[in-house]
Each structure stands twice: as structure tokens, then as C-alpha cells.
């Protein structure tokens, strides 16, 4: 079996790479895939806490690369899905502890066993980013409707193309329909026109993300959350399904009332 | 005169973004961009009557390439 490696990247920090990685990985596993998430943010690891697996870490990615343990020993099995694993980053080391060559070898080995290897890239364009994209077959860029995030996404598209990773796709995260409607936030069309790449998903701003991160339970597991639905749809599109984009829903009086009485 | 406050902030964002992306994509500083623009006007003006107030320059990403797209409207044309 030869799986695919997908890198989740953005350039700018704080746009939702780790949340997106956790949710895409979880949603792919929910579809019955064998998935390994890799936290490539050495020194600032967080995918473990977002996944709620921080208490199970014994070994990490640097231990694997330095042969302190076997790859399988460092892979943490998810508590909810059998086919879902996490390879955590090292917390007390830095980005130079792994080389792009070692990273490629690692993901190539994992691909033998997995349907998908999902790599959570650190922010920036330096070595951590170069490690994260080494060995990737496909890139997904996360951005938000802000000038700074879109500008960085554009820069990343150029860097990915220079590395031979063509046709990256974009997730537009944290969009607010009410702000787009009143002309105070760039809309999907504006951003796609500027970036000129394919859209793989739109994730609405959702308070539920904070709650799910608090608990260490990816929102993809919550079948009532809009953001959860968005990530489940992204997973299906990754698998090749041609799903239409969910229309953006305004958080108006009616939807707020429905939430209040528990209808949605 | 219409004030800038009337413009939706989304349009402001889009315009500012397009402007910085031109510089990012061609990897030129604003000064270099201005210099290039002035030199282009100089060359073109030798042969045609360019309306230097209405020039637009943009860098567009297409399928296989990134291209500098410039519009040099002619003076007196509509």
C-alpha cells in the first residue's frame, strides 16, 4: 500500500494549521482511512494537546530520527479511532534536529503503512517549513480573510512551486458571513481570485473550535458543529469526492435562536 | 469629494493586498517598481503618447506562469 503525504502549511502563524491538521486527520480516519499525523513543529509542539494525546507521549520524532526508538514506538494511537496515529514533535530540541532528507525517509516509510500521512508544518519559511514539505505529495495552505495571512499564503504558493509541489489547494479559515455581507471582510471569491489556486474548503468562524481545543477533542467529531462539518467535507474532497462547498450561513437571529433551543 | 470612509474596508484590503503582492511576486522594492515604471513610460513615450496617470501594473498567476501585466492607456483615447 502506498499512501499520500499531505502537508498543511500557511506561512503566517495562528491561522489554524494545527487545528486543521488535527481535524483533517481525524476526519480522514472517520472515513476508515489509516492516518498518521506528524507534528513538524519541533520545539513548539501542540498537535498533541489539540488531539488530546499529550499524556501518552514517550518518544518523539527526533528520537526516531536519532534511532533512540523504532518508528512504531513513537507513534501514539488515538483513543477514538484505531487507524489514527500521532507522531509528536520534540519539545526540547529545535528545527535543525531533523533534516529534509531524514523527513522524506520518515514519511516514505510511513506511507507504506498508511493511507494518509498528514504533516502539520510550523509557521515561517525556514528549516521547519522545509522539513515539513520534504516528501509531501500534496500541499494544503490554510489562510484567513486577512491581508497578512493571504500575503503569506501567496508567498508560500511561490515557495512550494519552486520545490516542485505544484497545484497546492487552499482552506479559507475563520470566515464570517455577516462581515463579508456588510463589506468588512474579503469574501471567498476575492481571495481565490487573488491567490489563483483551487479551494478545498471553507471553515466558518466557530466558537466551538475553542471549546473542542479546550477538551482535546477535534471538532470534526462533533456532528452538530458547522466547522466540524466543514472539516469532514474537506476530508472527503481529499479522498477525491466532488462535494459542493457549504453555503456560508449568517449568524442571524434565527440561527442564534435555534442554537439556544438546541435545534442546531 | 467622496471621502475614503465611504469605501468598504474589504475593498481597501483587496487593493492594498494586490499592491503588495505585485512587489512580492516580482521581488522588487517599491522604489524599484517605480523606477521600472518610469523607465517603461520613457521608452514607450518615444513612440506613442502614453497617459502616464492611468497606467496599471499587476502580477498575475496563471496556470503555468506568473506574468507582469501592464496597461498603458494612450492619451486622448477612451
Amino acid at each position: 500500500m502506498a499512501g499520500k503525504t499531505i502537508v498543511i502549511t500557511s506561512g503566517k502563524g495562528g491561522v489554524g494549521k494545527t487545528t486543521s491538521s488535527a481535524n483533517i486527520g481525524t476526519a480522514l480516519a472517520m472515513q476508515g482511512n489509516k492516518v498518521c499525523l506528524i507534528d513538524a513543529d519541533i520545539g513548539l509542539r501542540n498537535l498533541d494537546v489539540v488531539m488530546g494525546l499529550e499524556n501518552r507521549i514517550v518518544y518523539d520524532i527526533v528520537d526516531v530520527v536519532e534511532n533512540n526508538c523504532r518508528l512504531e514506538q513513537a507513534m501514539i494511537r488515538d483513543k477514538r479511532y484505531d487507524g489514527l496515529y500521532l507522531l509528536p514533535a520534540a519539545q526540547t530540541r529545535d528545527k535543525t534536529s531533523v533534516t529534509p532528507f531524514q523527513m522524506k525517509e520518515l514519511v516514505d516509510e510511513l506511507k507504506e503503512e498508511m493511507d494518509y500521512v498528514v504533516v502539520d508544518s510550523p509557521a515561517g519559511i525556514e528549516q521547519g517549513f522545509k522539513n515539513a514539505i520534504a516528501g509531501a505529495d500534496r500541499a494544503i495552505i490554510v489562510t484567513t480573510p486577512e491581508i497578512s495571512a493571504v500575503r503569506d499564503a501567496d508567498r508560500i504558493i511561490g515557495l512550494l512551486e519552486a520545490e516542485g509541489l505544484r497545484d497546492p489547494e487552499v482552506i479559507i479559515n475563520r470566515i464570517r458571513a455577516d462581515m463579508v455581507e456588510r463589506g468588512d471582510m474579503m469574501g471567498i471569491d476575492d481571495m481565490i481570485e487573488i491567490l489563483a489556486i483551487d479551494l478545498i474548503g471553507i471553515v466558518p468562524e466557530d466558537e466551538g473550535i475553542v471549546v473542542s481545543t479546550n477538551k482535546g477533542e477535534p471538532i470534526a467529531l462533533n456532528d452538530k458543529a458547522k466547522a466540524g462539518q466543514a472539516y469532514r467535507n474537506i476530508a472527503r474532497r481529499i479522498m477525491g469526492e466532488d462535494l459542493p462547498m457549504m453555503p456560508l450561513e449568517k449568524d442571524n437571529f434565527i440561527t442564534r435562536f435555534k442554537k439556544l433551543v438546541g435545534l442546531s | 469629494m467622496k471621502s475614503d470612509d465611504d469605501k468598504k474596508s474589504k475593498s481597501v484590503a483587496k487593493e492594498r493586498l494586490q499592491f503588495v503582492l505585485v512587489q512580492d511576486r516580482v521581488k522588487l522594492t517599491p522604489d524599484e517598481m517605480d523606477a521600472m515604471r518610469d523607465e517603461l513610460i520613457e521608452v514607450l513615450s518615444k513612440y506613442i503618447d502614453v497617459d502616464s496617470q492611468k497606467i496599471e501594473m499587476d502580477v498575475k498567476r496563471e496556470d503555468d506562469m506568473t506574468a507582469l501585466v501592464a496597461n498603458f492607456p494612450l492619451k486622448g483615447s477612451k
Side-chain angles (χ1 to χ4, degrees):
Chain A
M1 181 162 69
K4 285 256 180 265
T5 300
I6 304 166
V7 62
I8 313 292
T9 187
S10 70
K12 188 177 179 301
V15 297
K17 279 182 298 299
T18 302
T19 303
S20 294
S21 302
N23 280 292
I24 288 170
T26 302
L28 283 168
M30 290 166 83
Q31 293 283 330
N33 293 293
K34 267 190 98 175
V35 181
C36 185
L37 287 162
I38 300 181
D39 189 346
D41 203 348
I42 300 170
L44 291 167
R45 84 171 165 217
N46 272 322
L47 191 49
D48 54 334
V49 287
V50 175
M51 290 294 295
L53 299 171
E54 67 275 17
N55 292 330
R56 303 183 177 200
I57 298 177
V58 181
Y59 297 109
D60 57 49
I61 191 168
V62 176
D63 289 318
V64 175
V65 165
E66 294 181 348
N67 290 316
N68 297 329
C69 70
R70 283 177 293 111
L71 177 55
E72 307 83 74
Q73 287 177 293
M75 287 163 63
I76 302 165
R77 190 190 286 265
D78 183 71
K79 41 191 176 188
R80 295 143 297 217
Y81 287 91
D82 274 349
L84 181 57
Y85 301 84
L86 168 69
L87 180 58
Q91 183 68 329
T92 56
R93 303 289 293 273
D94 65 38
K95 310 292 192 248
T96 59
S97 311
V98 176
T99 65
F101 178 77
Q102 289 169 322
M103 193 71 184
K104 186 176 183 324
E105 277 194 327
L106 186 66
V107 297
D108 284 349
E109 190 181 338
L110 277 168
K111 262 165 45 173
E112 297 289 314
E113 296 295 320
M114 300 288 154
D115 297 306
Y116 292 98
V117 178
V118 178
V119 184
D120 181 19
S121 160
I125 54 174
E126 297 82 17
Q127 171 135 17
F129 165 75
K130 287 176 185 146
N131 283 341
I133 65 169
D137 302 303
R138 185 169 177 176
I140 294 179
I141 298 169
V142 184
T143 190
T144 62
E146 287 167 82
I147 295 190
S148 48
V150 179
R151 182 191 197 179
D152 288 3
D154 190 80
R155 184 105 165 78
I156 291 291
I157 294 167
L159 292 171
L160 289 172
E161 278 177 0
E163 293 290 326
L165 259 173
R166 304 193 71 85
D167 302 324
E169 292 155 300
V170 66
I171 292 177
I172 297 177
N173 194 18
R174 308 195 66 172
I175 194 137
R176 284 183 49 180
D178 56 333
M179 290 192 73
V180 174
E181 186 135 316
R182 67 168 190 257
D184 276 332
M185 184 178 269
M186 282 187 283
I188 308 294
D189 296 345
D190 299 313
M191 297 171 72
I192 293 302
E193 179 199 327
I194 288 172
L195 291 174
I197 61 172
D198 289 337
L199 180 66
I200 194 158
I202 304 161
V203 183
E205 171 84 44
D206 188 341
E207 286 183 5
I209 293 277
V210 178
V211 178
S212 78
T213 308
N214 286 344
K215 295 180 182 167
E217 291 167 3
I219 203 159
L221 297 163
N222 180 343
D223 53 356
K224 288 194 178 126
K226 283 271 177 277
Q229 180 67 51
Y231 281 116
R232 290 194 299 275
N233 288 354
I234 290 169
R236 288 167 61 186
R237 288 188 199 108
I238 288 172
M239 293 170 68
E241 225 178 294
D242 186 16
L243 272 184
M245 293 290 157
M246 264 192 322
L248 279 178
E249 201 175 276
K250 263 205 307 180
D251 193 20
N252 58 21
F253 174 75
I254 296 164
T255 57
R256 247 177 287 155
F257 179 74
K258 276 189 185 169
K259 265 182 206 158
L260 203 69
V261 298
L263 281 173
S264 73
Chain B
M1 207 177 89
K2 214 175 161 189
S3 86
D4 245 17
D5 293 349
D6 291 349
K7 211 173 190 178
K8 296 288 186 194
S9 73
K10 162 199 132 144
S11 312
V12 178
K14 201 173 165 186
E15 274 169 31
R16 292 178 59 220
L17 185 57
Q18 278 166 328
F19 189 75
V20 292
L21 287 186
V22 170
Q23 291 156 22
D24 287 357
R25 287 174 181 171
V26 295
K27 299 183 181 69
L28 292 179
T29 65
D31 282 353
E32 288 169 328
M33 278 296 291
D34 283 347
M36 180 170 79
R37 187 187 134 109
D38 290 346
E39 281 178 48
L40 282 169
I41 294 171
E42 204 182 304
V43 171
L44 289 167
S45 299
K46 277 195 212 167
Y47 304 95
I48 50 178
D49 229 355
V50 176
D51 188 343
S52 57
Q53 299 302 310
K54 293 183 184 162
I55 291 168
E56 279 174 25
M57 288 208 279
D58 194 7
V59 179
K60 291 215 161 106
R61 187 181 294 120
E62 279 151 29
D63 284 344
D64 301 319
M65 58 167 190
T66 301
L68 174 70
V69 181
N71 261 310
F72 294 90
L74 300 180
K75 249 182 205 158
S77 66
K78 275 194 180 173

